[in-house]
Amino acid sequence: MIQSIFWDSYLAADVQSANLKQRLCACEAAFADHKSNIAKLIQQQNPTSVAILGAGYLNDIPLDDLVHGDRKVYLVDWIDDVSKVGVSNKILCTTDEGNTSCLFCSEKDPKSFCTNYTGELLSDGLCTGYEPLSQPLDTCKNYEPGTNPRFLKADITGGVAVNFSKDMEKAIRNCKTAKQAFKKAIHIAENARFSAMDIESDSIDLVTSSMIISQFDAEPYNYFATLLEQQFDTAEIQKHQKTLIPLMEQLRTKLFTQQVESHVKEIYRILKKNGQAKAYLSAELFRSCSDQQFFLVQDMPKALEIIGQYFFFELGDQLETETLSKSNLGNGTSVNQCYVLSPKDAKYL
């Protein structure tokens, strides 16, 4: 009998990682260019509504620019509390005088950002409710999210990833062979159920999706591989490897393209079609297999083709950094390209 690991528990294991502090710092350094680009777009566009898709720990998000001003902000991720942790780790800073200041206490309506704001100040930008906490980074123990930003748990692939994973967890228990499991997985992927995010259509001025497209290459395929290893002996899988490899590639490609298409459709759906709304998106085009050799990320040309069906590409002037850049995270180097996108009118679709 397969041991149930559940999709939510599988995702939450990353949040509970013991080296979270080191990973947060490494990711923030790797995504610094995206942070600068998004800050410039916010300053240029002055959007009244922003949706950050795959917000995670906000490693690529300029929180101070995002919350400053009277705008509605959605932080969307499929992991419980991950963005709340990200926000709480970014609300404190040190002033030129060496004092601690809170980003939210300095805003026009602090209570909307933190329900524990007292209205009485210890110093400039810090209320009497402040109590230091250093887990994993310096924050305020009494920070309690208010109405803004809105933390939204949702699958930004239009439900493809979550629905596939939960359906597959049930289906694999009745599979007698690894080959049967792959065929069942391909069938489920081909008939993926759609679940829209809880954001109104045509309501958002700026949407960001940094490095998300590349991540579709890993999940939920890795989750399926974990289920497979639990259900079948490794020796049994290796014995039929030649037969399984084509099915592996078929499933991985199907999941990737299905997720990209649903993700792009969701961005298009929630963006205003007023000629002013923009989306910021980045894609990993190449990965390194050595210091000098790079390979094209599989199926990325197809992903760009899908994006082009719904958006016009705008390159250059709106961004702070070069559109093509390298980033280092883990043991490899990635070559990424970032885009500003404008939704096409219906007549172009």
Side-chain angles (χ1 to χ4, degrees), residues 1-3 169-178 181 224-234 236-237:
M1 174 69 68
I2 185 173
Q3 176 187 357
E169 185 180 5
K170 297 176 183 178
I172 199 170
R173 302 178 189 185
N174 298 319
C175 295
K176 303 302 182 183
T177 66
F224 167 76
T226 303
L227 292 177
L228 198 70
E229 290 174 359
Q230 289 191 339
Q231 181 78 350
F232 304 102
D233 292 338
T234 302
E236 176 69 13
I237 297 174

Side-chain angles (χ1 to χ4, degrees), residues 73-94:
V73 176
Y74 295 88
L75 300 178
V76 188
D77 204 276
W78 59 10
I79 305 177
D80 276 329
D81 296 332
V82 63
S83 296
K84 293 179 184 177
V85 173
V87 169
S88 67
N89 287 333
K90 296 179 185 300
I91 59 177
L92 297 184
C93 64
T94 302

Side-chain angles (χ1 to χ4, degrees), residues 156-224:
I156 60 174
T157 69
V160 171
V162 169
N163 291 332
F164 167 82
S165 299
K166 294 188 174 182
D167 288 348
M168 196 61 225
E169 185 180 5
K170 297 176 183 178
I172 199 170
R173 302 178 189 185
N174 298 319
C175 295
K176 303 302 182 183
T177 66
K179 182 177 181 180
Q180 186 181 5
F182 269 103
K183 288 188 173 181
K184 186 65 176 179
I186 292 168
H187 174 76
I188 291 174
E190 288 175 340
N191 296 276
R193 292 178 287 123
F194 179 78
S195 303
M197 296 181 293
D198 187 19
I199 300 178
E200 291 184 8
S201 300
D202 303 296
S203 65
I204 304 297
D205 295 311
L206 176 64
V207 173
T208 76
S209 175
S210 303
M211 297 303 294
I212 300 299
I213 296 294
S214 310
Q215 295 173 20
F216 295 156
D217 192 37
E219 297 295 1
Y221 182 85
N222 287 350
Y223 176 76
F224 167 76

Side-chain angles (χ1 to χ4, degrees), residues 309-339:
Q309 292 174 9
Y310 296 89
F311 294 94
F312 293 115
F313 293 83
E314 301 179 15
L315 304 175
D317 294 343
Q318 302 97 326
L319 302 180
E320 184 71 22
T321 63
E322 296 293 331
T323 58
L324 199 64
S325 64
K326 292 182 180 180
S327 65
N328 295 285
L329 192 61
N331 298 322
T333 299
S334 298
V335 177
N336 313 308
Q337 189 156 31
C338 45
Y339 312 94

